[in-house]
Amino acid sequence: MKPVPTRIVSLMLGAFLLSAFSVLSGSASAKEVNLTYSNFFPPSHVQSKLAQSWCEAVEKRTNGEVKISYYAGNTLVKAAQIYDGVVTGRTDIGMSCLLYTRGRFPLMDVINLPFGNPSGRFATAVFNELYDQFKPAELSDTKVMFLHAHGPGLIHTQKKEVKTMADLKGLKLRSPGSVAGMIKALGATPVSMPMPEVYQALQKGVVEGAVYPEETNKGWKMGEVTDYTIACYPTAYSVGFFVVMNQAKWDALSDGAKTAIQAINHEWAAKHGAAWDESDYEGVTFSLGLGNAMIGIAPDEALRWKEAVTPVFDTYLEKTEKRGVPGQEALKFLNDRLDTYNQGNFESSYL
């Protein structure tokens, strides 16, 4: 039997090693990754249910490569610490409100202004468009999955009907972050506290009302401890929420997993925006069913409110200028998109 030439043996050995390396590489890229997701919304809230369904979609579409343990209701990281918790790795993924870390997100604070927010769908779409347009450095220490924002934020009070700015004078109203500036401009007294503490604060009389979207009347049961919704839509604001991931954990994912998750993110941004509007309707129904009332503000009075909150926009522009971020451009972007919406021509890939 003739010996096999050395050159052929080398080629066969090389082919075997290359094949083995390919198998091992494929196995490594499909290695199971286990992550944690923290959210302050209670498990029963629609925004919490959507977050959980996002986790399930990620596991399914990555074929089990990425599995996520979901923690709702402040059980892993508290609302105000979630963003920092993601940065430091206390939680791998987190959803919370940008206003809970006041001053940290100067450019994106534009969504929280009393610009006359018409809907959660609009606010969510524009909030994501703002991020895509400006890519603010303030969010660069995490991997942004997507953003969303609630529907028209309105004033809700206990016992006292409010029909004019004079009726607001001195009322203690829970107001998150920079929304406090709007409440102060209207003559009320802002009190800062995270949403999980508001029900008890209203129940005990620590505050006499709060500002929030209609969905909160049912989603957080706030309709049980308030009596009136003050429907002044020209000064309606929104609050922006983030879903972010630890940058190192994101970088460690396979390319296939990243592609799948990015597609899910786009879908879920629209789902969250739609859910805000649907739950606003449910919140109104829930509140009225308890015997609460909605008070409309006369057009002339509403114009007075709109003029009164002008300094809130000035403050935003001053703060962003000092921080060296393009606040004026961001506000113009928001107003231009609002004009398009009001003209009935609004379209967005985030709808």
Side-chain angles (χ1 to χ4, degrees), residues 17-44:
L17 291 174
L18 182 62
S19 175
F21 179 76
S22 298
V23 170
L24 290 172
S25 296
S27 176
S29 67
K31 181 180 178 182
E32 185 178 299
V33 177
N34 293 288
L35 303 172
T36 56
Y37 185 149
S38 297
N39 191 355
F40 75 98
F41 283 104
S44 60

Side-chain angles (χ1 to χ4, degrees), residues 127-142:
F127 200 32
N128 282 281
E129 290 177 356
L130 277 159
Y131 177 76
D132 293 343
Q133 178 75 16
F134 295 96
K135 287 289 190 293
E138 60 209 49
L139 285 161
S140 63
D141 47 3
T142 61

Side-chain angles (χ1 to χ4, degrees), residues 235-249:
T235 56
Y237 68 95
S238 186
V239 163
F241 298 84
F242 59 78
V243 180
V244 296
M245 183 173 176
N246 178 274
Q247 186 67 57
K249 290 297 179 71

Side-chain angles (χ1 to χ4, degrees), residues 30-91:
K31 181 180 178 182
E32 185 178 299
V33 177
N34 293 288
L35 303 172
T36 56
Y37 185 149
S38 297
N39 191 355
F40 75 98
F41 283 104
S44 60
H45 196 286
V46 64
Q47 297 298 330
S48 182
K49 292 178 180 179
L50 276 172
Q52 188 161 16
S53 70
W54 180 89
C55 298
E56 293 164 356
V58 167
E59 181 173 348
K60 181 178 180 180
R61 296 198 209 173
T62 62
N63 297 313
E65 179 182 340
V66 181
K67 296 184 177 181
I68 303 170
S69 297
Y70 179 64
Y71 297 88
N74 277 327
T75 53
L76 183 61
V77 183
K78 300 296 183 184
Q81 283 79 50
I82 286 179
Y83 191 85
D84 279 332
V86 172
V87 173
T88 59
R90 288 173 60 200
T91 182

Side-chain angles (χ1 to χ4, degrees), residues 220-264:
W220 292 86
K221 306 299 183 185
M222 227 60 72
E224 297 176 350
V225 287
T226 57
D227 300 305
Y228 302 103
T229 294
I230 317 306
C232 187
Y233 288 97
T235 56
Y237 68 95
S238 186
V239 163
F241 298 84
F242 59 78
V243 180
V244 296
M245 183 173 176
N246 178 274
Q247 186 67 57
K249 290 297 179 71
W250 171 260
D251 291 341
L253 296 179
S254 69
D255 289 343
K258 289 176 182 176
T259 299
I261 292 171
Q262 285 172 328
I264 297 168

